[in-house]
Amino acid sequence: MGIDPALSPHRPNDVVALVTSTDPWSPAATTGVALARQWGSRLTGCYVDPSLRTLSGADAEPTVLGLLIQAWDEDHGERAAFESLARASGVPDAAWAVTHTSVAPTLRQLGAWHDLAVLERDMVEGHALADILGETMLSCRIPCLILPPGWKGEVAFKRVLIAWNGSIESTRALHAALPFLEAAKDVILIDGERLNPEDLTGHPPRFDPITYLMRHRIAVKPHSIGGPHHLSGEKLLQEAVHLHADLLVMGAYGHSRTRERILGGATRHALQHAKIPLLMQH
């Protein structure tokens, strides 16, 4: 640990922030600026109108890229204001866009050329929260930093809790968290994996999270929790509070049914109730 984030080989080169307010700037905008400054990244701010935030991907037109490109000509000073905010904060390379479609297809398109998305959990409220943000995370293919309501905290996360259960989703989330972990003072790993004898033969090589982190010069403290072996969302949030974590890293678990993506229970609970930022990846 102690690696300069700007020199980290794992730092995101392109960060996108889904902005919900320009006056004042919403938490996703200010957090995106802070992370881009910390890592020396390029930054895109994308405004999503309130009328579009509760639409599902199936309700949106498919021509997202064209809408994003078209939106560059629709400017009422926000682009200049965002670029000014970024430059004043030490981010020289910043761009601004406005989308005319819903959150999931917008971020699915932007995710094609960005490495990290910053979102505000309360950009979607009520019963639609888990469905809309779940669809977004399960389809965008990049890690998402999800901020709790009213987030005004620092982006220098010092105590990071990783929830790992042996799944490909949790492994991807751990890998995506490397730039955060390299800058943290304490990294705590909850290993919820339970191996059966048949897991040891006839399968691809196992991923050992502690060995992996040590190879990246990240000191990690294993931590166990009681109760059922599975990592429930409620238990994870309780542990995050108990351990004074300021960032929780976990996989975004889900499955598909006809034209719809459904979040798993742990992901849904953490997404709805976490009081600290979540770094999630499907």
Side-chain angles (χ1 to χ4, degrees):
M1 289 186 286
I3 298 173
D4 183 348
L7 301 178
S8 168
H10 309 290
R11 66 179 178 85
N13 289 316
D14 293 272
V15 175
V16 57
L18 296 191
V19 180
T20 60
S21 172
T22 60
D23 186 18
W25 291 106
S26 67
T30 55
T31 299
V33 167
L35 289 173
R37 177 184 66 239
Q38 179 175 310
W39 291 324
S41 308
R42 292 176 291 273
L43 175 65
T44 300
C46 181
Y47 179 73
V48 185
D49 188 88
S51 64
L52 299 172
R53 296 173 199 164
T54 57
L55 296 178
S56 70
D59 299 325
E61 292 293 330
T63 55
V64 183
L65 180 58
L67 292 172
L68 285 167
I69 294 173
Q70 177 186 349
W72 288 98
D73 296 328
E74 299 181 1
D75 181 41
H76 303 285
E78 293 89 351
R79 185 195 309 183
F82 185 73
E83 293 173 351
S84 177
L85 169 72
R87 284 195 303 271
S89 302
V91 181
D93 193 351
W96 179 253
V98 178
T99 181
H100 290 182
T101 191
S102 59
V103 179
T106 293
L107 195 54
R108 184 164 59 246
Q109 186 67 47
L110 289 168
W113 71 89
H114 289 84
D115 306 302
L116 175 73
V118 183
L119 299 80
E120 300 153 19
R121 187 175 86 201
D122 55 351
M123 72 183 301
V124 181
E125 298 180 350
H127 69 279
L129 185 154
D131 293 335
I132 299 300
L133 294 190
E135 179 189 15
T136 300
M137 286 190 298
L138 297 182
S139 64
C140 72
R141 299 179 182 269
I142 60 172
C144 296
L145 180 66
I146 302 171
L147 307 175
W151 173 251
K152 296 180 181 179
E154 298 292 329
V155 299
F157 303 112
K158 297 304 181 183
R159 194 169 181 82
V160 182
L161 178 62
I162 304 170
W164 188 79
N165 65 357
S167 69
I168 191 69
E169 292 90 349
S170 63
T171 302
R172 284 173 177 156
L174 186 154
H175 174 73
L178 284 176
F180 294 97
L181 303 179
E182 289 171 339
K185 291 183 177 179
D186 293 302
V187 176
I188 303 166
L189 177 87
I190 297 177
D191 184 350
E193 184 181 35
R194 292 295 184 271
L195 289 177
N196 296 317
E198 58 268 23
D199 292 330
L200 301 178
T201 59
H203 288 273
R206 289 187 59 243
F207 174 80
D208 184 334
I210 293 179
T211 301
Y212 176 78
L213 293 173
M214 290 177 61
R215 287 175 55 204
H216 288 282
R217 296 186 294 164
I218 296 170
V220 57
K221 301 174 183 176
H223 180 74
S224 61
I225 58 178
H229 71 268
H230 65 276
L231 299 179
S232 71
E234 183 177 6
K235 188 65 176 178
L236 284 175
L237 296 188
Q238 290 173 353
E239 288 301 306
V241 172
H242 175 70
L243 296 169
H244 305 289
D246 50 18
L247 177 66
L248 173 59
V249 177
M250 62 184 294
Y253 311 105
H255 57 273
S256 298
R257 66 188 187 196
T258 306
R259 299 192 63 189
E260 190 173 3
R261 292 178 180 267
I262 311 299
L263 284 181
T267 310
R268 181 178 292 266
H269 184 90
L271 186 60
Q272 291 175 323
H273 301 289
K275 291 180 169 54
I276 60 174
L278 303 171
L279 184 70
M280 289 185 162
Q281 180 159 19
H282 180 56

